[in-house]
Amino acid sequence: MIRVRFFARVREQLDCELLELPWEPRYGTLDGLQAALEQRGEPWGDVLRQPNLIRAVNQAVVSTNAILQAGDEVAFYPPVTGG
Amino acid sequence: MIRVRFFARVREQLDCELLELPWEPRYGTLDGLQAALEQRGEPWGDVLRQPNLIRAVNQAVVSTNAILQAGDEVAFYPPVTGG
Amino acid sequence: MVRPLVRDRFAVSIQTEPFVTEALQKALHEREAGAIVTFTGYVRACNDGAAITALELEHYPGMTENSLRAILDEAAQRWSVLAATVVHRVGLLAVGEPVVWVGVSSAHRGDAFTACEYVMDYLKTEAPFWKKEHGDTGSRWLEARASDSERARRWQLP
Amino acid sequence: MVRPLVRDRFAVSIQTEPFVTEALQKALHEREAGAIVTFTGYVRACNDGAAITALELEHYPGMTENSLRAILDEAAQRWSVLAATVVHRVGLLAVGEPVVWVGVSSAHRGDAFTACEYVMDYLKTEAPFWKKEHGDTGSRWLEARASDSERARRWQLP
């Protein structure tokens, strides 16, 4: 299984907070997972292609592509605005 | 009259907190006042000739010489160490 | 990166409840501390000209705490810090309420000022919190500010 | 230089009594304030290797207040400051006791951090306070530090 979380504006736009996906080989990279999610149709494609989207794997920000394994937690969110 | 205050180490070295001097023409400048005080004998000469002595006239620091008038308040003190 | 001796003095709290700065500051103080610098961030009545009625704060539980601890660890490696605390509130906050508190204690003031400002600049750009403003004319998610990114970049080592 | 509208929000207190930082900070807060930065200085147990039992603080009544107000005025002219307070204790203080508190409120954190640090740097080098340390091996007046003069010089305008 792979767990995918969405936060803030991204969460609202997708109307989705958490996906728990049975493991598939196409989820073996972060880019592969994102492509699979974009293929779910609108609004998924537009929302996940927005500029400045932040991606985190196992609660650490990833700035390029990354290898994923079953059990990983991935998050997509907009630039942070706390403080 | 001219009022002369001493603070901290300078106060202790002179064993004097406040002088109230009847006005004399030789007190007409800050340097003149200091020379007159230094002539009071030891420890006055040594203490007032110490490096880094700060001089204030009417509660404002003065870095060179200054004109004094009857009624002025002059202070001599070491570099400040508050905070 | 496990550094238990240092970690003890570094505290992070994500909470909905208000905080009492006096108590937080007292907990930071110790015999060798000559200086404590604190930052408190508040919900402002007005932002970019829009009147605000409330602020809603979302975060990424787990990652937020790890992110703040990593920022404190980095500050403690770069400056001489005796203890440091970050408290950040989440949920719905009214205008005037405190949102975040950062306190740093140090032997001398230079380290305390610098480390406190560093923690705030990285918290603003790295810790996964998001603000949604509620106002008379509706609600909107805040946009990240370029000025915050620039402030954080000042701290990058060559 | 009379600026009554500004002066109202700038408070200076020289006192022997302890202070409560929570109350001081609350008095600084207003609806437009997004940030409050505070500095608290404490009596350290140890200074330059010598064990301290108490610290005695002398000041120049009248000049001290004027000097601190002038420093706050200058800070308010150079940065966007909503309100600022300086509290400085005098008399005999035990190890661990707070000596000085500086708080600055501003719309944004950059101005609050900078103005607070500026006030402390000038207080250290210009306000007429003197510290005498009492320890196991006797008493001594503290010497001014060159590092404090250097910190203050950083703020000089060209």
Side-chain angles (χ1 to χ4, degrees):
Chain A
M1 193 191 70
I2 197 151
R3 186 176 279 115
V4 190
R5 296 188 182 279
F6 306 96
F7 291 96
R9 177 190 287 117
V10 172
R11 172 180 58 72
E12 285 190 352
Q13 287 171 331
L14 297 175
D15 194 19
C16 178
E17 184 170 335
L18 172 66
L19 285 178
E20 295 185 323
L21 304 172
W23 176 256
E24 292 183 32
R26 62 182 176 143
Y27 302 155
T29 65
L30 184 54
D31 287 349
L33 171 70
Q34 180 164 344
L37 293 174
E38 288 173 5
Q39 283 160 21
R40 294 167 79 99
E42 293 318 316
W44 292 82
D46 280 353
V47 170
L48 293 180
R49 275 188 288 262
Q50 66 187 254
N52 302 322
L53 190 75
I54 313 288
R55 307 190 300 181
V57 176
N58 297 329
Q59 307 195 349
V61 171
V62 166
S63 57
T64 56
N65 199 6
I67 303 290
L68 298 183
Q69 295 181 304
D72 281 347
E73 175 174 295
V74 175
F76 295 89
Y77 56 77
V80 304
T81 55
Chain B
M1 195 191 66
I2 197 151
R3 185 175 281 115
V4 190
R5 297 188 181 279
F6 307 96
F7 290 98
R9 178 189 287 116
V10 173
R11 172 180 58 72
E12 285 189 353
Q13 288 170 331
L14 296 176
D15 193 20
C16 178
E17 185 170 335
L18 172 65
L19 285 180
E20 295 185 324
L21 304 172
W23 176 255
E24 292 183 33
R26 61 183 178 144
Y27 301 155
T29 66
L30 184 54
D31 286 348
L33 171 70
Q34 180 163 346
L37 294 173
E38 287 173 8
Q39 283 159 21
R40 293 166 79 99
E42 291 319 314
W44 293 82
D46 279 353
V47 170
L48 293 181
R49 275 189 287 263
Q50 67 187 256
N52 301 322
L53 190 76
I54 312 288
R55 308 191 298 182
V57 176
N58 296 329
Q59 307 194 349
V61 172
V62 166
S63 56
T64 57
N65 197 7
I67 303 291
L68 298 183
Q69 295 181 303
D72 281 348
E73 175 173 294
V74 175
F76 295 89
Y77 57 75
V80 303
T81 56
Chain C
M1 183 167 51
V2 179
R3 297 190 304 158
L5 288 176
V6 173
R7 181 61 56 77
D8 278 344
R9 292 164 160 178
F10 291 68
V12 167
S13 173
I14 315 294
Q15 60 189 51
T16 53
E17 313 80 51
F19 46 79
V20 178
T21 61
E22 187 87 13
L24 292 168
Q25 179 158 339
K26 203 154 277 177
L28 274 184
H29 183 249
E30 52 167 281
R31 285 172 62 82
E32 296 315 316
I36 294 183
V37 171
T38 76
F39 172 85
T40 312
Y42 296 87
V43 182
R44 294 172 63 209
C46 221
N47 192 17
D48 296 338
I52 308 304
T53 52
L55 196 64
E56 196 174 341
L57 264 141
E58 180 170 335
H59 76 124
Y60 185 170
M63 181 171 174
T64 322
E65 290 83 346
N66 292 338
S67 167
L68 294 175
R69 280 196 207 97
I71 294 168
L72 292 183
D73 274 343
E74 179 71 18
Q77 280 178 12
R78 290 178 65 171
W79 298 283
S80 182
V81 171
L82 292 168
T85 299
V86 178
V87 180
H88 203 300
R89 294 173 70 194
V90 292
L92 204 61
L93 302 177
V95 168
E97 284 199 71
V99 179
V100 57
W101 190 86
V102 175
V104 175
S105 72
S106 187
H108 302 289
R109 74 186 185 287
D111 287 317
F113 270 113
T114 307
C116 187
E117 194 165 5
Y118 171 90
V119 170
M120 272 310 301
D121 285 346
Y122 271 90
L123 185 157
K124 282 263 182 189
T125 51
E126 292 197 352
F129 292 101
W130 301 272
K131 280 178 183 162
K132 191 176 193 178
E133 283 181 354
H134 299 288
D136 296 335
T137 56
S139 299
R140 63 168 192 135
W141 289 99
L142 286 193
E143 298 288 341
R145 290 176 193 270
S147 59
D148 283 328
S149 304
E150 280 154 29
R151 288 183 67 89
R153 259 196 300 275
R154 294 179 308 159
W155 300 103
Q156 282 175 7
L157 299 172
Chain D
M1 182 167 53
V2 178
R3 299 192 304 158
L5 287 175
V6 173
R7 181 60 57 78
D8 277 344
R9 293 163 159 179
F10 291 68
V12 167
S13 172
I14 315 295
Q15 60 189 52
T16 54
E17 313 81 50
F19 46 79
V20 179
T21 60
E22 186 86 14
L24 291 169
Q25 179 159 339
K26 202 153 278 177
L28 274 184
H29 182 250
E30 52 168 279
R31 285 172 61 83
E32 296 314 318
I36 293 183
V37 172
T38 76
F39 172 86
T40 312
Y42 295 88
V43 182
R44 294 171 63 208
C46 220
N47 192 16
D48 295 337
I52 307 305
T53 52
L55 197 66
E56 195 175 343
L57 265 141
E58 180 171 335
H59 76 125
Y60 185 170
M63 181 170 173
T64 322
E65 291 83 345
N66 292 337
S67 166
L68 295 174
R69 280 196 208 98
I71 294 168
L72 292 182
D73 274 343
E74 179 70 18
Q77 279 178 11
R78 289 178 65 172
W79 297 284
S80 181
V81 171
L82 291 167
T85 299
V86 178
V87 180
H88 203 300
R89 293 174 70 194
V90 291
L92 204 62
L93 302 177
V95 167
E97 284 198 72
V99 180
V100 56
W101 190 85
V102 175
V104 175
S105 73
S106 186
H108 302 290
R109 74 187 183 287
D111 287 317
F113 271 112
T114 308
C116 187
E117 194 164 5
Y118 171 90
V119 169
M120 273 310 300
D121 285 346
Y122 272 89
L123 185 157
K124 282 262 182 190
T125 51
E126 292 197 351
F129 293 102
W130 301 272
K131 281 178 182 163
K132 191 177 195 178
E133 283 181 354
H134 299 287
D136 296 335
T137 57
S139 298
R140 63 169 192 134
W141 289 100
L142 286 193
E143 299 288 340
R145 290 175 192 269
S147 59
D148 284 328
S149 303
E150 280 154 28
R151 288 183 68 88
R153 258 196 300 274
R154 295 179 306 159
W155 300 104
Q156 283 175 8
L157 299 172

